[in-house]
Amino acid sequence: MRWWNSLCVLAMLAPPAAAEPLRPYVVEGDAITRSLTGRPGDAENGRRLVMDRHRSLCILCHAAPLPDPHLQGTLAPTLAGAGSRLSEGQIRLRVVDMKRLVPDSIMPAYYRTGGLAQVAASFRDRPILTAEEIEDVVAFLVTLKE
Amino acid sequence: MTGRAPRLLAGLLAACLAGSSAPAGDMLDKRSGADFMSPENRAMQADDMSNPGMFAVLDGEELWNRPEGANGRSCAGCHGEAATSMRGVATRYPAFDERSGRPIDLAGRIGECRRTRQEASPLPHESPELIALTAYVAHQSRGMPISPPQDERLAQFRENGRRLYERRIGQLDLSCASCHDARWGERLGGSVMPQGHPTAYPLYRLEWQAVGSLQRRLRNCMIGVRAEAFAFGAPELIELELYLMERAAGLTVETPGVRP
């Protein structure tokens, strides 16, 4: 299975995240310490999301302690040990908008809708992941201890 | 199918001869997408008997010889043997088109001949007939180095192609350069990232189970980053091709290629 290829088709079929207004958040240093939803995420669902190349795309770029390592990308550092290297708040900011820290990063901002060009109609004005999904992903990454 | 086997053998020989070429231009270690393929897929491309793209080439040869349109002339009626008249043509497309004052790609050029010289109905983008004719004409340049024309009139269009190549687009906010310049050889999921050279089009793609054009490939990459893809035939796609061909200068034409 070649995921980049299938992605081309699935990008059109994937159910887009609900178009709700983005929730405000506060960046402190290199972290967003408060949950976007005000509640903790569901790590089990976060694991499913990180594994889902079509929804989250994480393992197109990252390796992670998950099945099928030969289908994981080599474009980014491994997510293994992310929970030891980074605090929950630091992880949250990196998933929400990596470009605040690394302006020319290739990692997409998962919770942003502005500043983009030529977005396909079905993805326009929607973040890649919803606030709930971001919290689930964060909750999972926090469990990745070395 | 008498006559096919010898031609296929001749093609195979050409493919073997085409195997090596010295990269040119400013990109260090310039490499065809074929270099990043599995040995199985490379073997499939190299052997005309197993390369599915050869069916398009053979269909194209038939169309080349078939009278068409109000004029009743075949391509061969005006151009004679493609092996002579079309040799090297694909290495210098897109070229400047006097009529439109813009660059035109090889498929567009063929479409123009069909429309204005044969006075036949236009062939739609990606139609099997247009793909076959384009594959047949491009195949006559197999093994020859890509040599973009040094035509000043193309400069502004090529420059626009470069801008499009470097521009971040789509919900994933990535440019062609983000992937193909900076990160070739790395893995994106299960796919190895090629340098993105248009050396082998039209080509057979296993993912498509069909022979398709460069424009189809470029649209796939755009859809992959969740961008609105330029329509088939859009000037932007031709400008991108113009830049890609310049970037690929010196690599050899492989048409018909095979890709995963």
Side-chain angles (χ1 to χ4, degrees):
Chain A
M1 194 74 183
R2 294 175 305 282
W3 292 103
W4 172 241
N5 309 346
S6 327
L7 177 69
C8 299
V9 181
L10 279 145
M12 294 184 293
L13 304 178
E20 56 172 48
L22 295 187
R23 305 185 197 191
Y25 56 83
V26 180
V27 179
E28 298 165 73
D30 73 338
I32 301 172
T33 42
R34 295 195 38 206
S35 161
L36 297 179
T37 60
R39 288 184 308 276
D42 169 353
E44 195 39 50
N45 194 46
R47 181 176 191 274
R48 264 194 302 278
L49 274 168
V50 169
M51 272 185 6
D52 184 341
R53 301 145 205 274
H54 305 306
R55 289 284 283 118
S56 75
L57 313 150
C58 308
I59 54 182
L60 283 181
C61 293
H62 288 278
L66 292 166
D68 293 330
H70 64 290
L71 297 178
Q72 299 175 356
T74 59
L75 299 175
T78 177
L79 295 177
S84 303
R85 290 192 299 275
L86 300 166
S87 70
E88 179 191 310
Q90 287 175 316
I91 293 175
R92 187 175 289 107
L93 175 58
R94 282 154 182 76
V95 181
V96 163
D97 193 351
M98 178 58 98
K99 282 164 191 150
R100 280 181 181 254
L101 300 171
V102 184
D104 64 347
S105 179
I106 56 166
M107 178 161 160
Y110 279 85
Y111 201 63
R112 194 178 83 187
T113 53
L116 302 172
Q118 217 175 319
V119 178
S122 52
F123 294 104
R124 216 166 287 155
D125 301 325
R126 301 162 190 275
I128 302 173
L129 296 176
T130 64
E132 286 75 13
E133 289 168 334
I134 301 262
E135 289 308 322
D136 294 352
V137 166
V138 170
F140 170 61
L141 293 189
V142 165
T143 70
L144 298 180
K145 305 282 189 196
E146 238 151 20
Chain B
M1 285 207 110
T2 49
R4 178 164 161 194
R7 214 174 299 119
L8 288 172
L9 284 172
L12 175 59
L13 185 63
C16 295
L17 293 173
S20 62
S21 84
D26 51 5
M27 193 176 184
L28 291 165
D29 194 12
K30 210 185 274 194
R31 288 164 68 177
S32 156
D35 289 9
F36 301 94
M37 297 198 302
S38 67
E40 295 76 32
N41 290 344
R42 276 207 300 271
M44 192 193 289
Q45 170 168 316
D47 175 9
D48 281 353
M49 301 299 248
S50 64
N51 181 340
M54 282 310 291
F55 287 107
V57 170
L58 293 171
D59 287 349
E61 177 171 32
E62 215 173 296
L63 292 167
W64 178 264
N65 291 304
R66 185 193 294 170
E68 283 282 355
N71 177 319
R73 299 282 289 275
S74 67
C75 315
C78 287
H79 292 290
E81 278 288 325
T84 316
S85 64
M86 293 292 133
R87 188 177 150 74
V89 170
T91 67
R92 51 180 170 76
Y93 269 74
F96 190 78
D97 176 42
E98 304 276 355
R99 205 164 359 237
S100 61
R102 298 192 44 85
I104 190 169
D105 65 358
L106 188 58
R109 193 74 201 74
I110 291 169
E112 276 298 288
C113 262
R114 187 176 155 94
R115 196 174 63 81
T116 65
R117 312 252 174 214
Q118 293 183 312
E119 298 167 50
S121 57
L123 296 171
H125 297 290
E126 297 302 301
S127 62
E129 294 86 356
L130 186 56
I131 292 279
L133 276 167
T134 311
Y136 180 63
V137 170
H139 182 61
Q140 310 307 320
S141 300
R142 185 160 73 171
M144 297 176 73
I146 290 173
S147 323
Q150 298 310 307
D151 183 337
E152 260 314 301
R153 296 169 300 178
L154 290 171
Q156 69 177 105
F157 299 102
R158 187 173 287 135
E159 177 56 21
N160 202 39
R162 188 184 61 77
R163 267 200 298 275
L164 292 168
Y165 184 86
E166 289 171 356
R167 179 165 170 261
R168 284 175 178 258
I169 55 168
Q171 195 191 34
L172 305 191
D173 199 23
L174 291 167
S175 70
C176 320
S178 312
C179 285
H180 292 297
D181 281 359
R183 293 171 180 84
W184 60 267
E186 297 287 346
R187 245 181 27 232
L188 178 72
S191 307
V192 182
M193 186 85 70
Q195 294 178 350
H197 294 303
T199 48
Y201 291 82
L203 58 70
Y204 181 83
R205 191 158 178 229
L206 284 100
E207 175 75 12
W208 296 333
Q209 298 280 299
V211 180
S213 70
L214 175 65
Q215 296 204 351
R216 184 171 178 189
R217 172 70 252 186
L218 300 187
R219 283 172 47 85
N220 277 185
C221 277
M222 297 183 77
I223 293 166
V225 297
R226 301 182 174 177
E228 201 72 64
F230 297 123
F232 282 109
E236 289 90 347
L237 287 178
I238 296 180
E239 289 164 1
L240 264 172
E241 178 178 0
L242 205 52
Y243 175 67
L244 290 177
M245 287 296 267
E246 172 81 4
R247 196 172 155 267
L251 290 174
T252 46
V253 175
E254 297 161 48
T255 312
V258 170
R259 291 293 183 271

